[in-house]
Amino acid sequence: MAGTYMHMYTSTRPTHSSGREQRHLRHMWVNPFAKTLNWTNESPSEGAGLPRDASHGSTRTEFMNSVYTVHERPTAEDGKNGEPEYCIVVCTGHGELKVKARTQADHEVWYRAMAYVQTRRVLRYLAPPTN
């Protein structure tokens, strides 16, 4: 499956005084048949065939229940980078994941693709009836 790098947001714990979200760059892709969002620290094609270091982590997967966008106040840094003013929020069985594309064009493609996947049924293998 093809994917791109996107920013994934994580909330800081309430013990931190700022209470701000932190973001991390992750390689993400969607499995349209299983309706899942998948991500890893680096692109699976980078370092193909090389042994993986435990510090790189493994692929994470979450089922997408629904998807919507939220407006995010742009910062001066966002304007310089051409980042979109919207984030995509993916509702999963374990909460919500907030991600942001690196460009407005990528945002539109990702949001349309995720919204389309929501209209599709999950494909399941059913064994033929036995007589």
Side-chain angles (χ1 to χ4, degrees):
M1 307 265 166
T4 59
Y5 281 97
M6 296 177 70
H7 296 284
M8 177 176 272
Y9 287 79
T10 58
S11 296
T12 58
R13 295 192 173 128
T15 56
H16 289 79
S17 59
S18 67
R20 297 178 56 198
E21 293 177 314
Q22 295 178 345
R23 67 184 196 176
H24 307 278
L25 200 58
R26 299 289 184 252
H27 187 268
M28 300 186 153
W29 67 98
V30 170
N31 181 334
F33 304 108
K35 292 174 95 170
T36 58
L37 176 65
N38 309 286
W39 69 93
T40 185
N41 291 349
E42 63 184 27
S43 172
S45 62
E46 293 175 10
L50 300 174
R52 295 191 57 86
D53 182 11
S55 65
H56 287 112
S58 60
T59 301
R60 301 278 314 265
T61 301
E62 287 287 345
F63 182 79
M64 297 187 300
N65 289 325
S66 62
V67 177
Y68 64 94
T69 60
V70 293
H71 186 265
E72 183 178 68
R73 284 188 291 165
T75 64
E77 185 177 309
D78 291 343
K80 293 178 193 172
N81 297 335
E83 289 185 3
E85 294 182 11
Y86 291 88
C87 290
I88 300 170
V89 179
V90 180
C91 299
T92 71
H94 300 103
E96 294 181 337
L97 297 173
K98 184 176 171 184
V99 297
K100 187 173 189 179
R102 296 170 79 185
T103 65
Q104 182 64 37
D106 281 351
H107 169 81
E108 292 173 12
V109 169
W110 273 91
Y111 180 69
R112 286 182 184 180
M114 290 179 175
Y116 175 74
V117 166
Q118 295 306 304
T119 67
R120 310 301 297 163
R121 292 184 314 159
V122 175
L123 297 178
R124 297 181 184 174
Y125 173 76
L126 299 175
T130 57
N131 293 342

